[in-house]
Amino acid sequence: MPSATNPVIVQSDRSVLLEVHNPLYEEARDTLAIFAELEKSPEYIHTYRITPLSLWNAASSGVSVGEVLKALDQYSKFPLPDSVCTEIQQLMGRYGLVKLQRDGDMLLLTAADPVILLEIVRHKEVKLLLASAEQARSKDFSSPSLTQVEINPEARGQLKQLLMKLAYPVEDLAGYSQGNPLSMAWRGENPQGEPFALRSYQQQAVETFHQQGSVRGGSGVLVLPCGAGKTVIGMGVMMELQCETLILTTNNSAVKQWLRELRDKTTLEASQMGEYTGEKKEICPVTVATYQILTYRSKAEGTFDHFQLFNEKNWGLIIYDEVHLLPAPVFRATSELQAKRRLGLTATLIREDGKEDEVFTLIGPKKMDVPWKILESQGWIATAECTEWRISMSKDRRMDYALAEEKGKFRLAAENPRKLEKVSELMECHKEDLVLVIGQYVRQLELLARELKAPLITGKTPQRERERLYEEFRSGSLHCLVVSKVANFAIDLPDANVAIQVSGTFGSRQEEAQRLGRILRPKQGDSRAYFYSLVSKDTKEQEFAMHRQLFLTEQGYAYKIMIEEDLEP
DNA sequence: GATAGCGGAA
DNA sequence: CACAGTCCGCTATC
């Protein structure tokens, strides 16, 4: 029931305001995260927005309209605006109004309400996707009782995309091809020879993906924090399906990592697993490839030479690792592969290019979203303390900043030399810890590394050198590493428990989450991690920093804001 | 036959 | 917004 002491205000434009300093804040935040997206998170009032996609995501993971309305009502100060209730009902009600089903070889688009089907089928672009042109011209389309039409099976993905645009998110129940069978099992892991055991949430993820037999389950996206063991979940799904599998990842070290894990944890033999990369072009019952090789175009022809990998074998499952990074050309391939089971894995289903709805459509609906704080409370990831330090700039720099062109301002603020003093200070506080200093501009990092007398790793650092430094860091003989954006990709970067971010990509929530993830693997004893973000006070960088933090704020991480005293007022 | 180094791409 | 990193495939080198 609405009450003045509640923390939430729901406005008629579908924005939702949440009071941070309210005793019910945390409860309300965790509830809102299920069906709304955090837009702004300044000190006192956070702004969420209820969007069609956020509602459909909730609907597809089984949340009902009633539950959403009840939650809003429960935390709201005032009675909900009627218009918002109506809109939520309307929008969520649209999920699954149309379904894709199979009848023998036929792919059918069905709707309980003939009027809806009529509206859809009359659409110019939809007409092109119908099974036959003849059908498209047929008078049946004005029939008041039409509840199904036959669709060209090839167009399954395209149709889903189109229907999403028309705000009819379709529920795809057309099922999947089984793929070639491949038998595999977990390998005995411990000395007692007991089989490898999934953690409870991992087991739950596998089951959720697989839910309700073969029709409803079988494709979708699982969202899990960094360090939650996504490869293990992928393997868990493979165990369920027992079929030939294609795994797509972002880079070569991830390819190696998958193969290593498969070797260690499953009974698959070496000859059954292979990599398809720039180095080797193996095609095996389980093949691990990079996205880049798929998007490679020959210079002369401009053709995608490696797309045929999708058809090389009768894959029963395709795993998209870090699915939020799925490149646009692979979208197209994926839209043609709707008959294959697809598993997307990611820590943040956020793309700064706004194409997350395409991931949602073409890979599958979000099946599960494990909140970071839940894993923290279960001890799978470390407790982190996040601090944003706002650093002033020198008088001269402030002058430069004021005079700089709009696009140069960000860099000027980011490279504020005064950040160095703060980094040194923080290092003093963390003498016993393993510290990563992470930044985006190599010049700035070179300067920092020199002053801190710490080694620097950038993209130019040879692989050998990197491994040597990683090893020293791991053994503890080295306690500070300065790293550039390599930290965003390198999965072999050792764990630390302190990260100091001195600059980052404009407003990337993804990157912020990744960087926090670097320090969340629990250590022995006191499992605390510290994340510091250094930004120049009263600059564009400060605004971007706020945007970067949104995803983690949504996950319940509270940034403590510290403001450095002005040295020259 | 392996591998290091380079340019272009997304 | 642009910077940085990565990958692929090619060529040179032993």
Side-chain angles (χ1 to χ4, degrees), chain A residues 347-364:
Chain A
T348 56
L349 191 44
I350 292 173
R351 292 173 68 104
E352 304 301 341
D353 69 0
K355 288 193 172 151
E356 45 275 84
D357 56 340
E358 297 195 26
V359 174
F360 175 70
T361 318
L362 294 176
I363 304 299

Side-chain angles (χ1 to χ4, degrees), chain A residues 69-135:
Chain A
L69 293 177
K70 195 174 148 229
L72 286 173
D73 195 57
Q74 185 184 348
Y75 293 110
S76 180
K77 280 187 193 301
F78 310 114
L80 303 181
D82 283 343
S83 64
V84 172
C85 295
T86 314
E87 264 189 295
I88 291 173
Q89 264 160 348
Q90 292 258 305
L91 282 167
M92 280 187 89
R94 294 178 84 94
Y95 182 81
L97 276 182
V98 285
K99 301 183 200 301
L100 274 169
Q101 275 157 332
R102 180 170 296 281
D103 184 2
D105 282 343
M106 290 195 298
L107 182 64
L108 301 174
L109 181 69
T110 66
D113 181 351
V115 178
I116 289 172
L117 196 62
L118 200 60
E119 180 193 342
I120 290 170
V121 167
R122 289 257 166 147
H123 191 274
K124 215 166 49 184
E125 286 174 76
V126 175
K127 272 188 188 168
L128 300 172
L129 307 179
L130 298 175
S132 68
E134 202 179 331
Q135 197 188 356

Side-chain angles (χ1 to χ4, degrees), chain A residues 10 13-16 32 35-37 48-55 68 72 84 88 91:
Chain A
V10 181
D13 63 351
R14 269 190 273 138
S15 65
V16 178
L32 286 174
F35 55 84
E37 201 195 339
Y48 286 77
R49 187 164 300 275
I50 299 172
T51 67
L53 186 62
S54 71
L55 289 172
V68 172
L72 286 173
V84 172
I88 291 173
L91 282 167

